[in-house]
């Protein structure tokens, strides 16, 4: 059960921390022409985080591969449902996040996110508050010159 909440907190950290507060700051996060693969991966993670904070699920899912599959067996449709549940069930999500450590090998990348997450449930009888610190790994693949998330979960 604790692993599940570490994964929840990690997902929230990935998809809420470092978010843009307005479009001008979002543009500042986009990779410049000629950016390295590491910068492009970081920009994807920042864009996903901005989508989570602004509660735009399709902005998040635009960066999730249709071949997504994580260690808990969730595919693209299951992660979409999971994200919808998180957005409906939690409010006042606060995340601290360090810059991810990104390793790119060809068309595959791994980003390690270190985070702290505090989140309050809308209904405390149904969902527990979250107060966790930890690390998660995010795996991405390049397809058609864009980076897509294919998995996220605990460090292996």
């Amino acid at each position: 059960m604790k692993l599940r909440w570490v994964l929840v907190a990690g997902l929230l950290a990935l998809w809420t921390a470092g978010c843009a507060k307005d479009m001008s700051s979002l543009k500042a996060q986009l990779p410049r022409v000629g950016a390295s693969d590491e910068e492009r991966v970081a920009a994807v993670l920042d864009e996903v985080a901005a989508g989570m904070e602004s509660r735009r699920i399709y902005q998040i899912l635009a960066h999730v591969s249709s071949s997504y599959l994580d260690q808990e067996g969730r595919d693209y449709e299951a992660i979409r449902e999971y994200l919808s549940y998180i957005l409906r069930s939690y409010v006042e999500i606060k995340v601290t996040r360090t810059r991810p450590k990104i390793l790119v090998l060809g068309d595959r990348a791994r980003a390690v996110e270190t985070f702290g997450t505090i989140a309050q449930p809308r209904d405390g009888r149904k969902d527990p508050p979250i107060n966790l610190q930890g690390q998660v790994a995010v795996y991405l693949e390049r397809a058609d010159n864009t980076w897509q998330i294919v998995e996220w979960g605990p460090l292996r």
Side-chain angles (χ1 to χ4, degrees):
M1 186 62 145
K2 183 177 179 180
L3 176 61
R4 178 174 181 232
W5 291 110
V6 168
L7 293 176
V8 167
L11 180 64
L12 293 173
L14 168 64
W15 290 338
T16 62
C19 301
K21 299 298 181 200
D22 59 35
M23 288 308 290
S24 62
S25 61
L26 178 60
K27 287 179 184 176
Q29 293 177 4
L30 296 176
R32 69 188 189 295
V33 173
S36 70
D37 284 329
E38 289 82 2
E39 291 169 317
R40 291 182 186 281
V41 167
V44 165
L45 299 176
D46 290 342
E47 173 75 8
V48 167
M52 189 68 176
E53 184 172 83
S54 64
R55 306 179 87 71
R56 293 183 180 149
I57 193 166
Y58 294 105
Q59 182 178 344
I60 299 164
L61 292 173
H63 299 289
V64 177
S65 172
S66 60
S67 64
Y68 179 93
L69 185 62
D70 63 28
Q71 291 179 28
E72 291 191 11
R74 289 180 294 217
D75 61 8
Y76 178 90
E77 185 59 29
I79 201 66
R80 185 193 63 75
E81 290 174 17
Y82 180 68
L83 286 168
S84 293
Y85 177 80
I86 293 297
L87 291 174
R88 281 190 320 267
S89 301
Y90 285 88
V91 295
E92 299 182 41
I93 299 168
K94 297 186 193 258
V95 178
T96 56
R97 176 181 161 225
T98 63
R99 187 163 197 74
K101 294 177 182 154
I102 299 169
L103 175 64
V104 176
L105 296 171
D107 289 337
R108 300 180 65 87
R110 177 180 184 227
V112 175
E113 295 274 357
T114 302
F115 66 90
T117 303
I118 298 172
Q120 296 303 316
R122 288 188 193 278
D123 181 352
R125 295 167 293 176
K126 184 178 175 187
D127 297 299
I130 297 171
N131 186 357
L132 294 171
Q133 295 180 8
Q135 290 185 317
V136 292
V138 182
Y139 299 90
L140 301 96
E141 290 182 358
R142 182 182 4 231
D144 297 326
N145 209 28
T146 62
W147 288 97
Q148 295 277 294
I149 297 169
V150 293
E151 180 184 355
W152 70 268
L155 296 178
R156 302 185 223 169

